[in-house]
Amino acid sequence: MAAPFSSPTTPPRLRSIFQPNPNPPQALLSLPGSFHRVPHRAKVCYDSIGATSVSLWSSSASYSSVRNGSTKLSGKPVAVKRLLQNRRGVVRNATIEEIEAEKSLIEDDAKERMEKTIDTMRTNFNSVRTGRANPSMLDKIEVEYYGTPVSLKSIAQISTPDASSLLVQPYDKSSLKAIEKAIVSSNLGLTPNNDGEVIRMSIPQLTSERRKELSKMVAKLAEEGKVALRNIRRDALRAYEKLEKEKKLSEDNVKDLSSDLQKLTDEYMKKLDTIFKQKEKELLKV
């Protein structure tokens, strides 16, 4: 028997196994960190590394590399039929206009809330009576009108005939008793006189002891107003810090905005001190 494979006419298939191929195929993938050229219209699949599936490249001058299990492309633009098919979502950075709009919204909100705080404190101060008659003394009185609590000034006209008296004229005379009851229970120290048409009240002079008590009450109201202003500043600062965490503002931006916010807070603190001192002066004046 002849020795195996001794025939000079070895079949082509066997020869391709045992003899080196003069034209070995080009590898489509390279080692991590290296680059390789993708032939024209080659189909490259990276599903095994969980990155993506790319097919039908239109340019043979494009390159790809594999790093840490992901695909990086470089070179000329390529036409991709299917790219990042398995991506989980798209993250879009905020524009400068959007960031500026958020900053303005925070600033405007803080200023509006501070302005409302000053208005509220002014109303509270006016409700504390002094030795002179003032319609605003009755601003906080609520009347039970047909089962619903309403502001006294919404159902009656309040005026000052002279410096020491108040006149309440209701739009509906049937509400006179309810108005009288609300004034008595308001702890303003006023005695209403109901004649069936209107209610008159004389403003008694304040004693020295009563003036001091009212002065302490006003000081407490002023401190509550300052706490409210500080809380508004705190909320605005937290909003700025949130934008910093979202990478929309830098640390320097937040410092500058915090400085501006402190100046705004100081401005409204001065407004509050002004109306407080004015009210205190009225109370202590004999």
Side-chain angles (χ1 to χ4, degrees), residues 70-87:
S70 61
T71 303
K72 181 178 180 181
L73 304 178
S74 62
K76 297 180 180 179
V78 295
V80 182
K81 183 179 180 181
R82 191 168 74 256
L83 180 62
L84 298 179
Q85 186 175 4
N86 299 325
R87 63 186 179 182

PDB file of all heavy atoms in Angstrom, residues 70-87:
ATOM      1  N   SER A  70     -16.157  48.731  23.842  1.00  0.00           N
ATOM      2  CA  SER A  70     -16.981  49.661  23.083  1.00  0.00           C
ATOM      3  C   SER A  70     -16.297  49.994  21.778  1.00  0.00           C
ATOM      4  O   SER A  70     -15.101  49.778  21.607  1.00  0.00           O
ATOM      5  CB  SER A  70     -17.205  50.951  23.890  1.00  0.00           C
ATOM      6  OG  SER A  70     -15.974  51.568  24.139  1.00  0.00           O
ATOM      7  N   THR A  71     -17.029  50.540  20.844  1.00  0.00           N
ATOM      8  CA  THR A  71     -16.511  50.823  19.510  1.00  0.00           C
ATOM      9  C   THR A  71     -16.269  52.311  19.343  1.00  0.00           C
ATOM     10  O   THR A  71     -17.131  53.123  19.670  1.00  0.00           O
ATOM     11  CB  THR A  71     -17.510  50.355  18.440  1.00  0.00           C
ATOM     12  OG1 THR A  71     -17.754  48.970  18.652  1.00  0.00           O
ATOM     13  CG2 THR A  71     -16.968  50.573  17.052  1.00  0.00           C
ATOM     14  N   LYS A  72     -15.103  52.656  18.838  1.00  0.00           N
ATOM     15  CA  LYS A  72     -14.775  54.058  18.566  1.00  0.00           C
ATOM     16  C   LYS A  72     -14.473  54.198  17.089  1.00  0.00           C
ATOM     17  O   LYS A  72     -13.721  53.423  16.515  1.00  0.00           O
ATOM     18  CB  LYS A  72     -13.568  54.488  19.396  1.00  0.00           C
ATOM     19  CG  LYS A  72     -13.172  55.947  19.174  1.00  0.00           C
ATOM     20  CD  LYS A  72     -12.004  56.315  20.049  1.00  0.00           C
ATOM     21  CE  LYS A  72     -11.604  57.763  19.820  1.00  0.00           C
ATOM     22  NZ  LYS A  72     -10.445  58.146  20.648  1.00  0.00           N
ATOM     23  N   LEU A  73     -15.092  55.190  16.459  1.00  0.00           N
ATOM     24  CA  LEU A  73     -14.900  55.412  15.026  1.00  0.00           C
ATOM     25  C   LEU A  73     -14.100  56.671  14.802  1.00  0.00           C
ATOM     26  O   LEU A  73     -14.212  57.635  15.539  1.00  0.00           O
ATOM     27  CB  LEU A  73     -16.259  55.528  14.336  1.00  0.00           C
ATOM     28  CG  LEU A  73     -17.213  54.327  14.533  1.00  0.00           C
ATOM     29  CD1 LEU A  73     -18.522  54.613  13.852  1.00  0.00           C
ATOM     30  CD2 LEU A  73     -16.588  53.060  13.982  1.00  0.00           C
ATOM     31  N   SER A  74     -13.277  56.660  13.761  1.00  0.00           N
ATOM     32  CA  SER A  74     -12.521  57.860  13.396  1.00  0.00           C
ATOM     33  C   SER A  74     -12.348  57.895  11.899  1.00  0.00           C
ATOM     34  O   SER A  74     -12.591  56.917  11.209  1.00  0.00           O
ATOM     35  CB  SER A  74     -11.152  57.857  14.084  1.00  0.00           C
ATOM     36  OG  SER A  74     -10.403  56.745  13.660  1.00  0.00           O
ATOM     37  N   GLY A  75     -11.903  59.040  11.374  1.00  0.00           N
ATOM     38  CA  GLY A  75     -11.699  59.164   9.939  1.00  0.00           C
ATOM     39  C   GLY A  75     -12.833  59.940   9.300  1.00  0.00           C
ATOM     40  O   GLY A  75     -13.504  60.747   9.927  1.00  0.00           O
ATOM     41  N   LYS A  76     -13.137  59.645   8.044  1.00  0.00           N
ATOM     42  CA  LYS A  76     -14.164  60.364   7.315  1.00  0.00           C
ATOM     43  C   LYS A  76     -15.544  59.925   7.772  1.00  0.00           C
ATOM     44  O   LYS A  76     -15.723  58.851   8.323  1.00  0.00           O
ATOM     45  CB  LYS A  76     -14.015  60.103   5.811  1.00  0.00           C
ATOM     46  CG  LYS A  76     -12.701  60.602   5.236  1.00  0.00           C
ATOM     47  CD  LYS A  76     -12.625  60.304   3.759  1.00  0.00           C
ATOM     48  CE  LYS A  76     -11.312  60.793   3.153  1.00  0.00           C
ATOM     49  NZ  LYS A  76     -11.232  60.476   1.727  1.00  0.00           N
ATOM     50  N   PRO A  77     -16.590  60.779   7.544  1.00  0.00           N
ATOM     51  CA  PRO A  77     -17.943  60.388   7.910  1.00  0.00           C
ATOM     52  C   PRO A  77     -18.341  59.117   7.169  1.00  0.00           C
ATOM     53  O   PRO A  77     -17.966  58.885   6.035  1.00  0.00           O
ATOM     54  CB  PRO A  77     -18.792  61.581   7.455  1.00  0.00           C
ATOM     55  CG  PRO A  77     -17.834  62.709   7.366  1.00  0.00           C
ATOM     56  CD  PRO A  77     -16.527  62.110   6.968  1.00  0.00           C
ATOM     57  N   VAL A  78     -19.115  58.286   7.836  1.00  0.00           N
ATOM     58  CA  VAL A  78     -19.555  57.036   7.237  1.00  0.00           C
ATOM     59  C   VAL A  78     -21.062  56.969   7.238  1.00  0.00           C
ATOM     60  O   VAL A  78     -21.724  57.568   8.074  1.00  0.00           O
ATOM     61  CB  VAL A  78     -18.991  55.825   8.007  1.00  0.00           C
ATOM     62  CG1 VAL A  78     -17.486  55.755   7.899  1.00  0.00           C
ATOM     63  CG2 VAL A  78     -19.424  55.857   9.460  1.00  0.00           C
ATOM     64  N   ALA A  79     -21.616  56.241   6.277  1.00  0.00           N
ATOM     65  CA  ALA A  79     -23.050  56.022   6.211  1.00  0.00           C
ATOM     66  C   ALA A  79     -23.338  54.727   6.931  1.00  0.00           C
ATOM     67  O   ALA A  79     -22.814  53.678   6.584  1.00  0.00           O
ATOM     68  CB  ALA A  79     -23.505  55.925   4.753  1.00  0.00           C
ATOM     69  N   VAL A  80     -24.141  54.798   7.977  1.00  0.00           N
ATOM     70  CA  VAL A  80     -24.407  53.634   8.798  1.00  0.00           C
ATOM     71  C   VAL A  80     -25.871  53.253   8.680  1.00  0.00           C
ATOM     72  O   VAL A  80     -26.735  54.098   8.838  1.00  0.00           O
ATOM     73  CB  VAL A  80     -24.069  53.926  10.280  1.00  0.00           C
ATOM     74  CG1 VAL A  80     -24.305  52.677  11.132  1.00  0.00           C
ATOM     75  CG2 VAL A  80     -22.633  54.372  10.394  1.00  0.00           C
ATOM     76  N   LYS A  81     -26.115  52.013   8.397  1.00  0.00           N
ATOM     77  CA  LYS A  81     -27.489  51.542   8.253  1.00  0.00           C
ATOM     78  C   LYS A  81     -28.128  51.314   9.612  1.00  0.00           C
ATOM     79  O   LYS A  81     -29.290  51.623   9.818  1.00  0.00           O
ATOM     80  CB  LYS A  81     -27.508  50.254   7.427  1.00  0.00           C
ATOM     81  CG  LYS A  81     -28.919  49.719   7.168  1.00  0.00           C
ATOM     82  CD  LYS A  81     -28.845  48.479   6.325  1.00  0.00           C
ATOM     83  CE  LYS A  81     -30.258  47.941   6.056  1.00  0.00           C
ATOM     84  NZ  LYS A  81     -30.228  46.720   5.259  1.00  0.00           N
ATOM     85  N   ARG A  82     -27.346  50.775  10.539  1.00  0.00           N
ATOM     86  CA  ARG A  82     -27.886  50.507  11.858  1.00  0.00           C
ATOM     87  C   ARG A  82     -26.807  50.791  12.892  1.00  0.00           C
ATOM     88  O   ARG A  82     -25.822  50.081  12.949  1.00  0.00           O
ATOM     89  CB  ARG A  82     -28.330  49.049  11.965  1.00  0.00           C
ATOM     90  CG  ARG A  82     -29.149  48.777  13.240  1.00  0.00           C
ATOM     91  CD  ARG A  82     -29.822  47.410  13.188  1.00  0.00           C
ATOM     92  NE  ARG A  82     -28.865  46.327  13.383  1.00  0.00           N
ATOM     93  CZ  ARG A  82     -28.415  45.554  12.406  1.00  0.00           C
ATOM     94  NH1 ARG A  82     -28.814  45.753  11.166  1.00  0.00           N
ATOM     95  NH2 ARG A  82     -27.554  44.574  12.659  1.00  0.00           N
ATOM     96  N   LEU A  83     -26.986  51.866  13.703  1.00  0.00           N
ATOM     97  CA  LEU A  83     -25.947  52.284  14.647  1.00  0.00           C
ATOM     98  C   LEU A  83     -26.567  52.461  16.022  1.00  0.00           C
ATOM     99  O   LEU A  83     -27.633  53.057  16.161  1.00  0.00           O
ATOM    100  CB  LEU A  83     -25.309  53.600  14.180  1.00  0.00           C
ATOM    101  CG  LEU A  83     -24.209  54.173  15.070  1.00  0.00           C
ATOM    102  CD1 LEU A  83     -23.039  53.203  15.154  1.00  0.00           C
ATOM    103  CD2 LEU A  83     -23.739  55.508  14.527  1.00  0.00           C
ATOM    104  N   LEU A  84     -25.877  51.930  17.015  1.00  0.00           N
ATOM    105  CA  LEU A  84     -26.346  52.049  18.390  1.00  0.00           C
ATOM    106  C   LEU A  84     -27.786  51.601  18.538  1.00  0.00           C
ATOM    107  O   LEU A  84     -28.628  52.296  19.096  1.00  0.00           O
ATOM    108  CB  LEU A  84     -26.190  53.494  18.887  1.00  0.00           C
ATOM    109  CG  LEU A  84     -24.772  54.036  18.929  1.00  0.00           C
ATOM    110  CD1 LEU A  84     -24.766  55.475  19.402  1.00  0.00           C
ATOM    111  CD2 LEU A  84     -23.877  53.183  19.797  1.00  0.00           C
ATOM    112  N   GLN A  85     -28.076  50.439  17.992  1.00  0.00           N
ATOM    113  CA  GLN A  85     -29.434  49.938  17.986  1.00  0.00           C
ATOM    114  C   GLN A  85     -29.930  49.655  19.403  1.00  0.00           C
ATOM    115  O   GLN A  85     -31.107  49.790  19.699  1.00  0.00           O
ATOM    116  CB  GLN A  85     -29.504  48.653  17.147  1.00  0.00           C
ATOM    117  CG  GLN A  85     -30.928  48.132  16.961  1.00  0.00           C
ATOM    118  CD  GLN A  85     -30.938  46.935  16.032  1.00  0.00           C
ATOM    119  OE1 GLN A  85     -29.892  46.474  15.612  1.00  0.00           O
ATOM    120  NE2 GLN A  85     -32.118  46.459  15.728  1.00  0.00           N
ATOM    121  N   ASN A  86     -29.003  49.267  20.291  1.00  0.00           N
ATOM    122  CA  ASN A  86     -29.395  48.885  21.637  1.00  0.00           C
ATOM    123  C   ASN A  86     -29.164  49.990  22.667  1.00  0.00           C
ATOM    124  O   ASN A  86     -29.071  49.723  23.853  1.00  0.00           O
ATOM    125  CB  ASN A  86     -28.611  47.635  22.072  1.00  0.00           C
ATOM    126  CG  ASN A  86     -28.904  46.466  21.167  1.00  0.00           C
ATOM    127  OD1 ASN A  86     -30.030  46.328  20.707  1.00  0.00           O
ATOM    128  ND2 ASN A  86     -27.899  45.636  20.920  1.00  0.00           N
ATOM    129  N   ARG A  87     -29.046  51.246  22.245  1.00  0.00           N
ATOM    130  CA  ARG A  87     -28.764  52.322  23.200  1.00  0.00           C
ATOM    131  C   ARG A  87     -29.963  52.521  24.124  1.00  0.00           C
ATOM    132  O   ARG A  87     -31.107  52.331  23.751  1.00  0.00           O
ATOM    133  CB  ARG A  87     -28.443  53.630  22.484  1.00  0.00           C
ATOM    134  CG  ARG A  87     -29.609  54.184  21.653  1.00  0.00           C
ATOM    135  CD  ARG A  87     -29.175  55.393  20.868  1.00  0.00           C
ATOM    136  NE  ARG A  87     -30.268  55.906  20.062  1.00  0.00           N
ATOM    137  CZ  ARG A  87     -30.153  56.929  19.251  1.00  0.00           C
ATOM    138  NH1 ARG A  87     -28.997  57.545  19.124  1.00  0.00           N
ATOM    139  NH2 ARG A  87     -31.175  57.343  18.548  1.00  0.00           N
TER     140      ARG A  87
END
